[in-house]
Amino acid sequence: GAYVNPGGGPGAVHFFVSDGGGWIEEDVVRPTDHTHRDRFGWSVGISGEHAIVGAPDIYSAYALVRQPDTTWALQQKLTPPPDAPVPFFGSLVSIDGDLLVVMGGHPYLFQWDQNVWRETARLLISEGIGVGIAVKGRFAVARALVFAVRDQHSLRDYAGLQECFTGNK
């Protein structure tokens, strides 16, 4: 992703393919629906012939698909639902097969269904705001930034979680 265009236009995404001995630029994609700074390419993910590109300044993510002529084309523009908060939508993206996730304050999961990406879930993070996401198979993980611990009970919960990951429990 090249999310800053020095000329003030939209960002771009550069696709590379290995020829066995090195990497060759296969295509460059820029959004065609706007021309201002959008941070298109701020976040990127790829899985097989599908890619997801975040453009958080316009609260969007773009699903792309590789064409037989080796160019990459827009499959669908994803935006947050009208009833949802939009901060940071498109700031982080991840894709694996027919499942993708886009961060927008909370992670939003989309599933490929009958030739369209449909929102299937919003992951509610109990503490903080999401600052990291990944999806693989039927699993999604979100990392949250916690600004403050509300009480001693929450602190004990975090200590227990740390013990689980360090192998002490």
Side-chain angles (χ1 to χ4, degrees):
Y3 63 88
V4 175
N5 181 327
V13 175
H14 298 257
F15 288 92
F16 294 85
V17 63
S18 174
D19 67 358
W23 290 88
I24 300 166
E25 188 172 63
E26 182 175 73
D27 197 9
V28 178
V29 175
R30 290 179 180 80
T32 59
D33 60 343
H34 49 89
T35 58
H36 63 283
R37 291 182 188 222
D38 52 17
R39 295 199 192 265
F40 178 86
W42 177 267
S43 56
V44 295
I46 191 165
S47 177
E49 306 287 310
H50 297 270
I52 183 75
V53 179
D57 281 10
I58 57 167
Y59 313 119
S60 300
Y62 292 76
L64 305 174
V65 64
R66 188 173 187 256
Q67 302 298 301
D69 66 357
T70 70
T71 61
W72 288 78
L74 176 65
Q75 190 173 45
Q76 184 177 338
K77 181 178 178 180
L78 305 173
T79 57
D83 65 333
V86 294
F88 314 115
F89 191 88
S91 60
L92 298 169
V93 296
S94 183
I95 185 170
D96 184 44
D98 65 352
L99 186 65
L100 67 84
V101 61
V102 178
M103 184 65 73
H106 295 286
Y108 293 83
L109 276 92
F110 294 84
Q111 180 97 32
W112 184 247
D113 179 36
Q114 298 178 5
N115 296 322
V116 69
W117 289 101
R118 297 188 196 283
E119 181 192 345
T120 57
R122 290 179 211 170
L123 304 179
L124 300 179
I125 300 172
S126 60
E127 300 286 344
I129 61 168
V131 294
I133 56 172
V135 63
K136 182 70 176 168
R138 62 184 186 95
F139 297 98
V141 63
R143 181 172 65 103
L145 177 62
V146 178
F147 293 103
V149 175
R150 290 189 307 244
D151 56 35
Q152 194 63 28
H153 177 71
S154 293
L155 187 59
R156 279 195 307 275
D157 288 347
Y158 288 122
L161 186 62
Q162 182 179 2
E163 289 172 6
C164 289
F165 282 109
T166 59
N168 295 334
K169 205 170 195 181

